[in-house]
Structures are given as structure tokens and as C-alpha cells.
């Protein structure tokens, strides 16, 4: 989940930074993604602010889960585990199911995406919420930890 939190920092979205990480059965990272504009679409064309720009942003932004699945190298994600910061939305749940991922671990539940849980269950994809934690820290210097994620 620390990798997920670090990937989320790459997102330009000031209100919903989400990261995702696909890991195979050998616990090797297969791919990483974060929510952002598709490659070739400049971030500057849309407003990242909720007021006045939210509707446009939601139409164009690729979610972290989708980016992590698409960003994979030549390795398949079939049989892998997806770690993600937020419960996947219904569209991402479809991509997850079709990709062959067998487990989804998320940090935060969002009631807005309640339709994804029945889909994951019907597809026999193990899914569970990561235990509550207050924050992740990375220690580059023993005297000054950098807080990467706060709940």
C-alpha cells in the first residue's frame, strides 16, 4: 500500500489522488498506475477544481486501476492482485474482471461505487478492505520522516 500511496502523488487531481499497483503471485510488481489524463491529452486543458470543472474532468480522466492494467509490460495481469487506494468504480470493476485479476485490496470504501462489489463477488474475485491505518511514513532521514499518506 505504500507503493499505492506513492503512485497517487503523481496525480494532478487535488481532491482525489488515487494510486494502484498490480502484484503477481510471487509478490513482484507487474504494473503501477494513478488517476490522470490519457497519454497525449494535456492536463492543462481541463480544470482540476471541483467548481466548474468536475463534470469535464470525470469524462476524461483514466482511473488508477485502468492505468495500472494498461501500463503493464508484456507480462499478463491474469491471476494477479490489484492494490488500490479507493474501492474501484463500476467501470474499473469491469476492466478488472476482464483482465483476469483475482484479488482486489482497497484502502477506502466509497459508497458511490457500491455497484462494483456485487460485480466482483459474482466474478469470484476476492476483495477486501485494507486494515485502517493512520499514516504511512517513509524514512529517508531518521530525523525527518516524510508522511506519504494520511487517512
Amino acid at each position: 500500500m505504500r507503493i499505492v500511496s506513492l503512485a497517487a502523488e503523481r496525480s494532478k487531481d487535488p481532491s482525489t489522488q488515487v494510486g494502484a499497483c498490480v502484484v503477481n503471485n510471487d509478490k513482484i510488481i507487474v504494473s503501477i498506475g494513478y488517476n490522470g489524463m490519457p497519454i497525449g491529452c494535456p492536463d492543462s486543458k481541463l480544470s482540476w477544481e471541483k467548481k466548474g470543472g468536475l463534470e469535464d474532468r470525470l469524462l476524461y480522466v483514466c482511473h488508477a486501476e485502468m492505468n495500472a492494467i494498461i501500463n503493464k509490460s508484456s507480462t499478463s495481469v491474469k491471476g494477479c492482485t490489484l492494490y488500490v487506494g479507493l474501492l474501484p468504480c463500476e467501470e474499473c470493476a469491469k476492466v478488472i474482471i476482464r483482465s483476469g485479476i483475482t484479488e482486489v485490496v482497497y484502502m477506502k470504501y466509497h459508497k458511490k461505487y457500491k455497484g462494483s462489489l456485487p460485480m466482483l463477488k459474482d466474478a469470484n474475485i476476492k476483495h477486501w478492505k485494507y486494515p485502517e491505518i493512520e499514516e504511512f511514513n517513509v524514512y529517508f532521514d531518521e530525523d525527518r520522516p516524510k508522511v506519504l499518506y494520511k487517512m
Side-chain angles (χ1 to χ4, degrees):
M1 283 302 188
R2 288 182 182 170
I3 298 290
V4 168
S5 298
L6 191 58
E9 285 190 5
R10 301 262 314 156
S11 173
K12 302 261 190 307
D13 188 338
S15 63
T16 312
Q17 291 184 308
V18 180
C21 182
V22 179
V23 178
N24 69 16
N25 289 330
D26 294 324
K27 303 298 181 209
I28 296 171
I29 295 172
V30 172
S31 185
I32 297 173
Y34 57 90
N35 59 322
M37 293 292 291
I39 293 173
C41 296
D43 291 318
S44 59
K45 282 206 168 193
L46 297 174
S47 171
W48 286 102
E49 300 305 316
K50 283 189 175 186
K51 200 172 195 177
L54 180 63
E55 293 306 316
D56 283 346
R57 178 180 60 111
L58 294 178
L59 290 173
Y60 298 104
V61 169
C62 294
H63 288 180
E65 305 92 323
M66 181 187 301
N67 278 326
I69 292 168
I70 292 170
N71 288 345
K72 69 174 181 59
S73 60
S74 60
T75 305
S76 173
V77 296
K78 190 173 185 174
C80 290
T81 299
L82 173 73
Y83 294 88
V84 64
L86 188 62
L87 174 69
C89 71
E90 291 82 1
E91 291 302 311
C92 288
K94 294 174 196 175
V95 173
I96 290 164
I97 293 165
R98 290 295 310 247
S99 73
I101 286 173
T102 56
E103 184 174 7
V104 175
V105 182
Y106 56 94
M107 272 197 271
K108 289 184 180 179
Y109 173 81
H110 197 303
K111 63 183 175 186
K112 180 175 156 184
Y113 301 142
K114 62 185 174 191
S116 61
L117 291 175
M119 279 194 280
L120 295 173
K121 183 178 179 183
D122 289 345
N124 293 318
I125 294 176
K126 183 179 176 182
H127 54 281
W128 53 281
K129 187 177 180 301
Y130 195 78
E132 291 287 333
I133 51 173
E134 193 170 311
E135 65 186 30
F136 285 128
N137 293 313
V138 174
Y139 297 92
F140 296 111
D141 179 348
E142 289 297 320
D143 297 328
R144 297 181 308 163
K146 179 179 183 201
V147 176
L148 289 179
Y149 181 81
K150 281 196 173 192
M151 293 294 278

